[in-house]
Amino acid sequence: PSSHNDSVVLQMAQAHIEGITDYLNEARRSSEQAMIVQYLGSNIQKLHFKLSNTNQILLRQDPIQWVSINTDEQQMTKPRQLFMFNKTLVCCAPKFKKKARVDVVQRSSAINPDQFANDEVNLQCKWYCPISQLEITEPDYITKDAPLITVTG
């Protein structure tokens, strides 16, 4: 109760404990983020720069279908994994090993650290570009065109 002699001291102690907890949680998040970036930087094949040397922070990762038109004007789709860092967008071709191909749900979802730890996925960089050179066009809901990402420069 607030009328207790130690009430103020206990409230101050609780505030300090909450501050320490927040600090520890933030330090853990920062450490995990650095480990993820370091792991991706050393395991994405054909990436021509060091992610860990450029203070990159992984903001998001998503599986996509890359659509292209071949010389016979046939539409082709290829699975790709996009990694959006605070400074760079990286597009990779995921190569799933045979045991990972069995689980269709796992294959279509975002790559998770367990897949990396078990060596179920190899990543090969297809392209990358600075975020400052990206232009994202909103989808046209009337014609149902998908959003486009354009690389400038």
Side-chain angles (χ1 to χ4, degrees):
S2 59
S3 62
H4 192 278
N5 291 342
D6 294 332
S7 176
V8 173
V9 175
L10 290 173
Q11 288 176 352
M12 289 174 54
Q14 181 180 5
H16 285 292
I17 290 171
E18 288 173 357
I20 291 169
T21 302
D22 290 344
Y23 172 79
L24 290 174
N25 285 336
E26 187 56 38
R28 189 196 76 207
R29 273 188 229 108
S30 179
S31 175
E32 287 173 352
Q33 179 62 238
M35 286 179 11
I36 290 169
V37 169
Q38 182 179 10
Y39 185 85
L40 287 173
S42 63
N43 287 290
I44 295 177
Q45 300 166 1
K46 298 186 179 182
L47 186 62
H48 301 296
F49 69 96
K50 292 275 188 196
L51 287 172
S52 56
N53 291 350
T54 56
N55 296 322
Q56 299 281 351
I57 297 171
L58 181 64
L59 303 175
R60 183 179 178 113
Q61 65 168 336
D62 288 297
I64 63 167
Q65 289 295 318
W66 187 263
V67 179
S68 62
I69 308 294
N70 66 12
T71 54
D72 298 330
E73 296 193 23
Q74 294 177 338
Q75 182 174 321
M76 299 176 61
T77 61
K78 299 175 184 177
R80 295 288 184 256
Q81 189 74 22
L82 276 182
F83 295 95
M84 178 184 275
F85 297 92
N86 58 322
K87 299 177 183 178
T88 310
L89 183 68
V90 179
C91 181
C92 296
K95 304 293 183 193
F96 292 86
K97 295 186 179 175
K98 293 190 183 221
K99 71 176 185 176
R101 290 183 189 267
V102 175
D103 189 353
V104 175
V105 174
Q106 183 182 28
R107 185 170 180 220
S108 64
S109 64
I111 295 171
N112 63 50
D114 292 338
Q115 289 174 311
F116 290 128
N118 296 330
D119 290 328
E120 295 175 4
V121 179
N122 292 327
L123 296 168
Q124 182 177 2
C125 180
K126 290 300 186 178
W127 56 264
Y128 60 90
C129 119
I131 293 290
S132 61
Q133 294 182 5
L134 289 179
E135 177 184 337
I136 299 176
T137 307
E138 291 294 321
D140 184 345
Y141 294 105
I142 296 171
T143 61
K144 296 187 170 72
D145 287 337
L148 298 175
I149 297 176
T150 306
V151 178
T152 60

